[in-house]
Amino acid sequence: MSNRRKFIQQLAWGSAGFLAAQYPGSIYAKDNFVQIRILHTNDMHCHIEPFPESDSQNGGKGGMTRLSGIIEKIRMENPNTFLFDAGDMFQGTPYFNYYKGELVLKIMSKMGYDAGTIGNHEFDNGLEGIKEALPFVGFPILSGNYDFSDTILNGSFLTHKTFVKEGIKIGLYALGIELDGLVAKKNFQETRYLNPVKTAQKMELFLKEEKKCDLVICLSHLGLEYQEKKVSDRILASETRCTDLIIGGHTHTFLNDAIRTKNADGKPVIINQVGFGALLLGQIDFVFDRDKKIKMAVSSSRKNG
Amino acid sequence: MKKYMLFSLLLFFAFSCTTYFPVVDTATTNISVSESVAGENPELLELLKPYKQELEADMSRVLAISDVEMIKNKPESNMTNFMADMLLEEGREYCKKNNLELPVVAYVNYGGIRSTLPKGEINVQKVFELMPFENTMALLKISGEKFRKMADIIAEREGDGVAGMKLGIKNKTVSSLLVGGEKLEAGKSYWIVTNDYVANGGDNMVMFTDPESFISTETSIRDIIIRHMENKTKRGQHISAQTDGRIFYE
């Protein structure tokens, strides 16, 4: 399929004619544009089926079976689509109490997730609960700031992952929330919590410089923002330099649209979060121009790490 | 010659910063997961089927009849009171059976109550929605001083689930406090029944983390609720709950 046709189809799906508006006419003649589409979820909490009709707020909505229907439709329209989850897959419906991590991870694997991360509720059945669920995961789980070296989960997770689609390289890393005070000590044991901002600065630089990624994405279970001075996606965005997108979770924040803000260098960074229970699907499109490679001196920003 | 090569090598490194494909545009949309957008994926429904059948058979079992709809609220509510009263009653039963000192107070963290209970039939599903976590019942003996700290936190949060105590709150601070009908004594110790989550300091209940004595019952609170309801039904009783001013604003 030509890129031109893809574009027309994508526009038809409703991504708002944003390119047509910005590059009137000319865009359709060019084959050098690649559109990378990022779909994302967070805090699905085992809502495998739509919410029961009796639910006053969300009756008949959400659920992974229906979410998957939407994702399949989008994938048919744009093969350059990724699907990520920002944690708290576990806990929330009896499916978890009965089948623990097994069923939800089987379902998510079938949905074709490209990567996920660890939310605080993933610890609900302790480290053993995570270990027992791992055989059912068909996609990589990333964690940058939980150090499991001294636990039974040592070596179970990746710190980062890179993907290549149509010549565009995408780097992914992930951050989790502080467990102390949120998760019972017996459930996380000797898991060490590393500073998320420092981890992010290290990871993004590594992905940008060493791995030469065109796009850097963070899966975060830190939460969007807090009244008190607690690390959040907002703070993370303002203290990083190479991260283009922060896919958030934990605070169950329903955003009508993604937040566009500035990073430590004043460059654009997008933060998004889509509530909970598979009620919303986040969709972020990045359009790349493969005709003009640009130079970027990333090293200059290293001092602040 | 060598010098020249080294120089050109250095020059090469200095200017060879990585090149990237630039992002020329972005677009963002958050899509509502509703029937109008797409139907359910039939492949997933197929995978889910055996699990769903097994679960539904078990979940639809009716445990008890409730005379009232229970909804949680602050400073107190029939829902929070039901949970705390139930825990105090079952905690005392446990202690009687095991020849232990009886708890005087039950504490249920507000955030741990995850749903409401309808008026009428309560089935297993409702109890799972109410108490989805795998928490167990815990008993702890704390000093009067630490008890006061717990009361301070409840006052700061403007309410919680309690039984066996009466608490007045004014401007998010404790204005009056009775434990088992009597004034709190700093030098005395008190047995509290709660869940292992807060007993381990969850929800920032740090005053619980270093108790004088601690008993982990390893009995699931959800199983306790289910048994409690079944027993009421066996005795021909309905379940009910009301507010009684155990936590009040002044």
Side-chain angles (χ1 to χ4, degrees), chain B residues 128-148:
Chain B
F128 267 88
E129 286 166 12
L130 183 67
M131 183 63 221
F133 307 119
E134 302 298 329
N135 290 142
T136 57
M137 183 166 74
L139 294 148
L140 44 146
K141 190 182 192 179
I142 57 168
S143 65
E145 210 175 314
K146 284 187 175 166
F147 195 104
R148 172 65 200 217

Side-chain angles (χ1 to χ4, degrees), chain A residues 49 65 97-99 208 257, chain B residues 20 28 40 52 54 58 132:
Chain A
E49 296 180 289
T65 50
N97 307 99
Y98 273 68
Y99 306 112
K208 199 79 195 171
D257 197 1
Chain B
Y20 301 95
T28 61
E40 294 176 76
K52 185 181 162 79
E54 184 185 51
D58 210 37

Side-chain angles (χ1 to χ4, degrees), chain A residues 22 49 62 65 68 73 91 97-99 102 106 208 214 255 257 260 272 279 281 283 285 287 292 294, chain B residues 19-22 24-31 33 37 40-41 51-52 54 58-59 128 132 134:
Chain A
Q22 207 159 336
E49 296 180 289
T65 50
S68 175
K73 202 170 148 186
Q91 196 69 265
N97 307 99
Y98 273 68
Y99 306 112
E102 175 182 337
K106 275 185 177 169
K208 199 79 195 171
D214 301 296
L255 292 174
D257 197 1
R260 289 166 186 273
N272 201 17
L279 285 160
L281 173 67
Q283 175 182 292
D285 293 329
V287 181
K292 42 172 181 185
I294 52 154
Chain B
T19 58
Y20 301 95
F21 291 120
V24 291
D25 209 345
T26 55
T28 61
T29 326
N30 287 344
I31 304 161
V33 179
V37 187
E40 294 176 76
N41 181 350
Y51 295 96
K52 185 181 162 79
E54 184 185 51
D58 210 37
M59 286 285 147
F128 267 88
E134 302 298 329

